[in-house]
Amino acid sequence: MTRPVRVGITHGDINGVGYEIILKALSGEGFADLCTPVIFGSVKLISSYRKMLGITDFYFRQISSADGVEDGEINVVNIANEDVRIEPGSPSPEAGRMALLSLEKGVEALSAGEIDVLVTAPIDKNTIQSEEFHFPGHTEYLKDRIGNGAESLMVLFAGNLRVALVTTHLPVGEVAASLTKEKIVERVEIFARSLKADFACERPKIAVLALNPHCGDNGLLGSEEKDVIAPAIEECVSKGILAFGPYSADGFFANGGATRFDGVLAMYHDQGLAPFKAIAGQTGVNFTAGLPFVRTSPDHGTAYDIAGKNVADPTSMREAIYNAIDIFRRRKIYEKAAENPLRHQPDPRKSDKERRSPRDRQKDGQAEENGKASTAGESAPDTAEQAKQAAD
């Protein structure tokens, strides 16, 4: 019997809503029947948050490392035995250090095959910065650490709404200069592969957004659409990808354009994520596509303003866990199918000649005609003298 999917969960910033949404998402009976949760955190911090939030139905098994995981239970890999001070709602270097420690332990377990997927609780991108972590976010860190040279793509999704980004954590003032035809083509290709393998879209249709208002108004408001984005779309189409656009972002989302496509590619962070979060509400999930493993996270941040107040909604964390399992399984099915493609089986009722495709039969006919011409050419007289002799 195949064991349950093992879901590694990092606790994120300990002064944010990380522990609250984790405990709420996993509380109650039955969750360990769906998968095997493996939390990389502190038993002391879990105890503190359980008491603070009044959570009484969260049960777990403490282990020292992920190689001791037991299926059918919620496992907590205790990453720190010392007392750690928590200050809900307040950023601190200690919280950043603990967030990084949890992430490192999760990545180690993922690399060792001790967990199958990774779900990351929100971090504070400022306090986590250190010599070991000098990245804009989880996506870039995971690509660098265990990406094996693959390019990553940030995708946020809720149901059939999937929004990917060409640029991620980049100042708005630097977006235009960073856009190239090659980069957009690369992102579309990664997105298309992910839509097939991770979301079971057989022939994904991808909408590509413009950068400027009104698609640049024929150059009046910018030339990136004409010079960069449209040529990138044309190249994608020439490669057999169903890419369309560019579309003006405001009208596209306002008119329900996203419902007509399997995926939407935005040029920059807020262009795609602002409308996505307005539509998805609490059900959105952040997914890192393109890498050789599955990583998801809630689509919100540390939420310092409500941390410790027992009002955080665990829906996005729960959806991140559910969808990590689904993507993991779909990817396995896709990889297996791609590894052993079905071969064409000839119709036994037809002759060998009939089984050949119309195009091949046409080639056969052309070859036959060429053969006749060649034979006729060999028997024809080469010169007028030979023709005269043949006539005589």
Side-chain angles (χ1 to χ4, degrees), residues 344-358:
H344 173 70
Q345 298 297 320
D347 188 340
R349 297 170 297 179
K350 295 182 179 181
S351 66
D352 289 343
K353 186 173 183 180
E354 289 175 321
R355 290 173 187 156
R356 294 176 65 78
S357 69

Side-chain angles (χ1 to χ4, degrees), residues 6 61-71 75 77 114:
R6 293 180 175 176
R61 176 174 175 268
Q62 178 180 339
I63 54 179
S64 58
S65 64
D67 61 3
V69 168
E70 185 167 320
D71 295 315
N75 299 261
V77 178
E114 295 165 341

Side-chain angles (χ1 to χ4, degrees), residues 124-326:
D124 183 320
K125 296 179 178 62
N126 182 37
T127 62
I128 198 174
Q129 296 298 320
S130 65
E131 292 183 2
E132 293 77 24
F133 192 104
H134 44 81
F135 304 93
H138 278 115
T139 302
E140 296 82 2
Y141 171 83
L142 292 169
K143 171 190 168 183
D144 181 79
R145 279 292 308 275
I146 51 176
N148 294 334
E151 283 297 324
S152 62
L153 180 71
M154 181 185 289
V155 180
L156 276 86
F157 68 91
N160 292 326
L161 174 62
R162 309 175 188 98
V163 177
L165 306 176
V166 176
T167 62
T168 53
H169 303 113
L170 192 67
V172 174
E174 299 177 16
V175 171
S178 73
L179 293 178
T180 64
K181 185 183 80 169
E182 293 74 20
K183 180 182 288 187
I184 295 172
V185 170
E186 177 188 70
R187 297 295 191 267
V188 172
E189 290 177 328
I190 297 173
F191 202 9
R193 288 195 298 269
S194 178
L195 288 169
K196 291 178 182 179
D198 302 324
F199 297 96
C201 300
E202 186 175 350
R203 296 195 69 208
K205 294 185 295 181
I206 299 174
V208 181
L209 300 183
L211 172 66
N212 300 297
H214 310 158
C215 290
D217 269 345
N218 294 317
L220 181 65
L221 302 177
S223 61
E224 285 81 8
E225 286 72 23
K226 177 172 60 73
D227 297 340
V228 179
I229 302 175
I233 294 172
E234 291 175 5
E235 182 170 332
C236 291
V237 171
S238 72
K239 294 182 176 184
I241 300 174
L242 301 179
F244 304 86
Y247 297 102
S248 181
D250 59 344
F252 180 82
F253 285 102
N255 297 327
T259 62
R260 298 191 291 272
F261 295 89
D262 299 296
V264 181
L265 184 69
M267 293 297 111
Y268 61 94
H269 189 279
D270 285 11
Q271 182 190 50
L273 269 53
F276 171 83
K277 292 186 178 184
I279 296 170
Q282 297 292 332
T283 63
V285 175
N286 185 350
F287 169 55
T288 304
L291 299 183
F293 54 85
V294 176
R295 174 259 170 169
T296 62
S297 74
D299 74 340
H300 57 74
T302 56
Y304 283 138
D305 57 324
I306 61 171
K309 297 179 180 179
N310 205 12
V311 295
D313 190 331
T315 301
S316 187
M317 170 58 80
R318 195 176 290 117
E319 289 294 321
I321 295 171
Y322 290 155
N323 280 282
I325 297 168
D326 289 342

Side-chain angles (χ1 to χ4, degrees), residues 11-22 45 48-49 52-53 84-100 121-124 127-128 301-310 312:
H11 64 194
D13 191 290
I14 62 174
N15 290 333
V17 295
Y19 269 113
E20 181 175 344
I21 59 176
I22 292 171
L45 290 178
S48 296
Y49 270 104
M52 180 190 304
L53 303 170
V84 179
R85 183 181 179 187
I86 56 173
E87 301 174 276
S90 301
S92 72
E94 183 70 1
R97 183 185 70 82
M98 289 295 292
L100 179 57
I123 59 173
D124 183 320
T127 62
I128 198 174
T302 56
Y304 283 138
D305 57 324
I306 61 171
K309 297 179 180 179
N310 205 12

